[in-house]
PDB file of all heavy atoms in Angstrom:
ATOM      1  N   GLY N 270       2.089   5.362 -13.520  1.00 49.00           N
ATOM      2  CA  GLY N 270       0.691   5.111 -13.337  1.00 49.00           C
ATOM      3  C   GLY N 270      -0.133   5.113 -14.616  1.00 49.00           C
ATOM      4  O   GLY N 270      -1.152   4.744 -14.531  1.00 49.00           O
ATOM      5  N   ALA N 271       0.444   5.627 -15.722  1.00 57.00           N
ATOM      6  CA  ALA N 271      -0.358   5.733 -16.990  1.00 57.00           C
ATOM      7  C   ALA N 271       0.487   4.940 -18.030  1.00 57.00           C
ATOM      8  O   ALA N 271       0.713   5.380 -19.091  1.00 57.00           O
ATOM      9  CB  ALA N 271      -0.549   7.124 -17.346  1.00 57.00           C
ATOM     10  N   GLY N 272       0.760   3.759 -17.790  1.00 64.00           N
ATOM     11  CA  GLY N 272       1.476   2.880 -18.752  1.00 64.00           C
ATOM     12  C   GLY N 272       2.945   2.837 -18.695  1.00 64.00           C
ATOM     13  O   GLY N 272       3.652   2.174 -19.482  1.00 64.00           O
ATOM     14  N   GLY N 273       3.541   3.743 -17.749  1.00 82.00           N
ATOM     15  CA  GLY N 273       4.982   3.781 -17.754  1.00 82.00           C
ATOM     16  C   GLY N 273       5.563   2.679 -16.753  1.00 82.00           C
ATOM     17  O   GLY N 273       4.803   1.727 -16.424  1.00 82.00           O
ATOM     18  N   SER N 274       6.732   2.923 -16.325  1.00 92.00           N
ATOM     19  CA  SER N 274       7.400   1.920 -15.361  1.00 92.00           C
ATOM     20  C   SER N 274       8.345   2.666 -14.491  1.00 92.00           C
ATOM     21  O   SER N 274       8.908   3.755 -14.762  1.00 92.00           O
ATOM     22  CB  SER N 274       8.213   0.856 -16.233  1.00 92.00           C
ATOM     23  OG  SER N 274       9.317   1.449 -16.949  1.00 92.00           O
ATOM     24  N   PHE N 275       8.365   2.118 -13.223  1.00 95.00           N
ATOM     25  CA  PHE N 275       9.392   2.556 -12.178  1.00 95.00           C
ATOM     26  C   PHE N 275       9.755   1.515 -11.222  1.00 95.00           C
ATOM     27  O   PHE N 275       8.947   0.504 -11.145  1.00 95.00           O
ATOM     28  CB  PHE N 275       8.879   3.838 -11.530  1.00 95.00           C
ATOM     29  CG  PHE N 275       7.710   3.668 -10.590  1.00 95.00           C
ATOM     30  CD1 PHE N 275       7.938   3.103  -9.269  1.00 95.00           C
ATOM     31  CD2 PHE N 275       6.381   3.886 -10.927  1.00 95.00           C
ATOM     32  CE1 PHE N 275       6.848   2.970  -8.423  1.00 95.00           C
ATOM     33  CE2 PHE N 275       5.293   3.775 -10.067  1.00 95.00           C
ATOM     34  CZ  PHE N 275       5.539   3.292  -8.766  1.00 95.00           C
ATOM     35  N   ALA N 276      10.911   1.648 -10.634  1.00 95.00           N
ATOM     36  CA  ALA N 276      11.265   0.793  -9.524  1.00 95.00           C
ATOM     37  C   ALA N 276      11.230   1.543  -8.225  1.00 95.00           C
ATOM     38  O   ALA N 276      11.998   2.631  -8.189  1.00 95.00           O
ATOM     39  CB  ALA N 276      12.569   0.160  -9.826  1.00 95.00           C
ATOM     40  N   TYR N 277      10.699   1.074  -7.289  1.00 96.00           N
ATOM     41  CA  TYR N 277      10.644   1.612  -5.880  1.00 96.00           C
ATOM     42  C   TYR N 277      11.652   0.802  -5.045  1.00 96.00           C
ATOM     43  O   TYR N 277      11.421  -0.403  -4.837  1.00 96.00           O
ATOM     44  CB  TYR N 277       9.358   1.740  -5.273  1.00 96.00           C
ATOM     45  CG  TYR N 277       9.403   2.076  -3.725  1.00 96.00           C
ATOM     46  CD1 TYR N 277       9.595   3.343  -3.491  1.00 96.00           C
ATOM     47  CD2 TYR N 277       9.181   1.111  -2.736  1.00 96.00           C
ATOM     48  CE1 TYR N 277       9.747   3.650  -1.991  1.00 96.00           C
ATOM     49  CE2 TYR N 277       9.258   1.334  -1.437  1.00 96.00           C
ATOM     50  CZ  TYR N 277       9.481   2.709  -1.150  1.00 96.00           C
ATOM     51  OH  TYR N 277       9.679   2.990   0.354  1.00 96.00           O
ATOM     52  N   LEU N 278      12.782   1.423  -4.661  1.00 97.00           N
ATOM     53  CA  LEU N 278      13.782   0.714  -3.772  1.00 97.00           C
ATOM     54  C   LEU N 278      13.618   1.156  -2.403  1.00 97.00           C
ATOM     55  O   LEU N 278      13.758   2.321  -2.074  1.00 97.00           O
ATOM     56  CB  LEU N 278      15.191   0.978  -4.412  1.00 97.00           C
ATOM     57  CG  LEU N 278      15.449   0.845  -5.860  1.00 97.00           C
ATOM     58  CD1 LEU N 278      16.869   0.938  -6.205  1.00 97.00           C
ATOM     59  CD2 LEU N 278      15.024  -0.508  -6.284  1.00 97.00           C
ATOM     60  N   HIS N 279      13.372   0.195  -1.650  1.00 96.00           N
ATOM     61  CA  HIS N 279      13.055   0.452  -0.203  1.00 96.00           C
ATOM     62  C   HIS N 279      14.181  -0.009   0.763  1.00 96.00           C
ATOM     63  O   HIS N 279      14.482  -1.236   0.789  1.00 96.00           O
ATOM     64  CB  HIS N 279      11.817  -0.350   0.280  1.00 96.00           C
ATOM     65  CG  HIS N 279      11.331  -0.019   1.575  1.00 96.00           C
ATOM     66  ND1 HIS N 279      10.434   1.021   1.909  1.00 96.00           N
ATOM     67  CD2 HIS N 279      11.556  -0.563   2.837  1.00 96.00           C
ATOM     68  CE1 HIS N 279      10.153   1.093   3.185  1.00 96.00           C
ATOM     69  NE2 HIS N 279      10.884   0.149   3.819  1.00 96.00           N
ATOM     70  N   LEU N 280      14.911   0.988   1.380  1.00 96.00           N
ATOM     71  CA  LEU N 280      16.071   0.625   2.281  1.00 96.00           C
ATOM     72  C   LEU N 280      15.545   1.065   3.667  1.00 96.00           C
ATOM     73  O   LEU N 280      15.513   2.248   3.944  1.00 96.00           O
ATOM     74  CB  LEU N 280      17.223   1.381   1.809  1.00 96.00           C
ATOM     75  CG  LEU N 280      18.473   1.212   2.703  1.00 96.00           C
ATOM     76  CD1 LEU N 280      18.920  -0.273   2.745  1.00 96.00           C
ATOM     77  CD2 LEU N 280      19.581   2.015   2.106  1.00 96.00           C
ATOM     78  N   GLY N 281      15.417   0.009   4.498  1.00 93.00           N
ATOM     79  CA  GLY N 281      15.075   0.235   5.853  1.00 93.00           C
ATOM     80  C   GLY N 281      15.811  -0.666   6.740  1.00 93.00           C
ATOM     81  O   GLY N 281      17.057  -0.804   6.747  1.00 93.00           O
TER      82      GLY N 281
END
Side-chain angles (χ1 to χ4, degrees):
S274 62
F275 68 82
Y277 167 74
L278 308 184
H279 185 92
L280 179 59

